[in-house]
Amino acid sequence: MEYSVFAKYYDSLTANIDYRKRAEYFHEIIQKFRRTNGNILLDLACGTGSISEEMARLGYDVIGVDYSDEMLGIALEKKFDNNSNIQYLCQDMRKLDMFGSMDVTVCALDSINHLASLGDVKKVFQNVALFSEPDGLFIFDVNTLYKHRKILANNTFTYETDNVYCIWENTLLPETDEVKMNLVFFEREENGLYSRTSESFSEKAYSETELENLLTETGFEIIGKYGDDTFLPPSHDCQRIVYAVRCVNSGQII
């Protein structure tokens, strides 16, 4: 998914996310399971670079990849403001092409759910395996079937900041567990009037069995599976599952 309009408002509308806390959570998982000696971390579907910045602050050599020029433009502004040593690349994660191998790959905030088919998910898993060090880690989260069916569903949400009002309308396709999302933004201009823009996209939920079969097929061993950013097993009504997997069939890029 390539955000364009949404990129402009993304950070203000996700201000409730504690990126530092999320990065420290990922860091704890990495320290628990890491076997490689290197420190290169790929932030896949990095968006505006908030996780990238926090992982760099924790001492990782970060490469951020995203398909949206608009998102990466904001990420670069943060990089220059913070004097961060992060490399950013504009790539579709289904066609990932790195120049070396990664010790850790992180893919956060339901980016996997933006992939439209199991075939696309498999391509991403294969690419991560191809560009992972032997025993490299892959940590990603996904929205659950429960969240799509019960929380997102056919609901409408509103978000308001000082200058932007957003209406977020969902349409659930129950036969595929895909949620079509339409966002309408009203931004206050200097003259006090509001300009209107919109963007539409979709997210698809995959079953745990589907994801875990693909991970096995693409050369990963599941070493951790957690519910809602904890270290507890997922409950039947958790909204997010975090997977920690180890690459046991690396492409070993030289």
Side-chain angles (χ1 to χ4, degrees):
M1 172 64 209
E2 183 179 357
Y3 290 126
S4 53
V5 174
F6 191 25
K8 181 179 180 181
Y9 308 110
Y10 186 84
D11 281 349
S12 61
L13 294 175
T14 58
N16 62 312
I17 298 174
D18 189 337
Y19 287 103
R20 179 159 296 187
K21 184 177 179 180
R22 288 224 80 204
E24 289 171 350
Y25 173 66
F26 291 146
H27 178 63
E28 191 171 350
I29 294 174
I30 294 165
Q31 295 307 305
K32 180 181 178 69
F33 292 118
R34 74 182 302 165
R35 289 180 179 172
T36 62
N37 294 322
N39 210 35
I40 299 176
L41 183 144
L42 171 62
D43 185 5
L44 194 60
C46 65
T48 62
S50 295
I51 290 287
S52 297
E53 288 288 338
E54 294 298 337
M55 298 309 292
R57 183 185 64 82
L58 289 168
Y60 294 94
D61 298 322
V62 179
I63 301 170
V65 168
D66 201 271
Y67 195 36
S68 169
D69 284 324
E70 290 82 2
M71 288 285 203
L72 289 175
I74 297 169
L76 285 171
E77 290 178 6
K78 294 178 184 177
K79 170 183 173 174
F80 295 132
D81 288 345
N82 297 326
N83 196 28
S84 305
N85 187 28
I86 301 171
Q87 300 178 59
Y88 285 111
L89 302 173
C90 186
Q91 291 186 9
D92 184 334
M93 62 180 172
R94 296 168 296 183
K95 301 175 182 178
L96 190 67
D97 186 15
M98 306 303 292
F99 46 83
S101 53
M102 308 295 119
D103 297 285
V104 181
T105 298
V106 169
C107 188
L109 297 174
D110 53 88
S111 296
I112 295 296
N113 295 102
H114 284 286
L115 298 167
S117 69
L118 279 172
D120 284 344
V121 178
K122 185 173 183 177
K123 287 178 185 177
V124 172
F125 288 178
Q126 286 173 325
N127 288 335
V128 173
L130 179 63
F131 292 102
S132 286
E133 283 284 326
D135 286 334
L137 297 178
F138 180 28
I139 301 166
F140 66 94
D141 63 42
V142 288
N143 283 342
T144 61
L145 291 169
Y146 175 86
K147 182 173 182 179
H148 274 229
R149 294 170 181 173
K150 302 296 184 181
I151 307 300
L152 297 177
N154 292 300
N155 292 319
T156 297
F157 305 93
T158 59
Y159 301 89
E160 186 172 7
T161 69
D162 289 341
N163 294 312
V164 179
Y165 183 78
C166 172
I167 302 172
W168 184 311
E169 299 175 307
N170 293 333
T171 302
L172 173 66
L173 305 181
E175 65 277 9
T176 61
D177 290 304
E178 182 180 3
V179 176
K180 300 284 188 180
M181 303 174 177
N182 183 57
L183 281 67
V184 180
F185 305 97
F186 298 90
E187 182 175 11
R188 192 201 310 269
E189 304 291 351
E190 290 184 0
N191 60 10
L193 299 178
Y194 283 82
S195 62
R196 181 185 186 277
T197 53
S198 64
E199 185 152 70
S200 297
F201 54 94
S202 65
E203 291 196 17
K204 181 173 172 56
Y206 299 98
S207 72
E208 295 170 50
T209 299
E210 288 173 325
L211 292 170
E212 290 162 21
N213 285 343
L214 282 185
L215 286 167
T216 300
E217 289 176 24
T218 53
F220 290 100
E221 172 193 7
I222 299 170
I223 52 179
K225 179 180 173 182
Y226 310 114
D228 291 325
D229 293 356
T230 69
F231 286 98
L232 300 174
S235 63
H236 75 280
D237 60 350
C238 76
Q239 297 185 37
R240 173 184 288 133
I241 294 177
V242 178
Y243 281 95
V245 301
R246 189 187 311 284
C247 186
V248 293
N249 187 20
S250 169
Q252 300 185 45
I253 301 299
I254 303 299

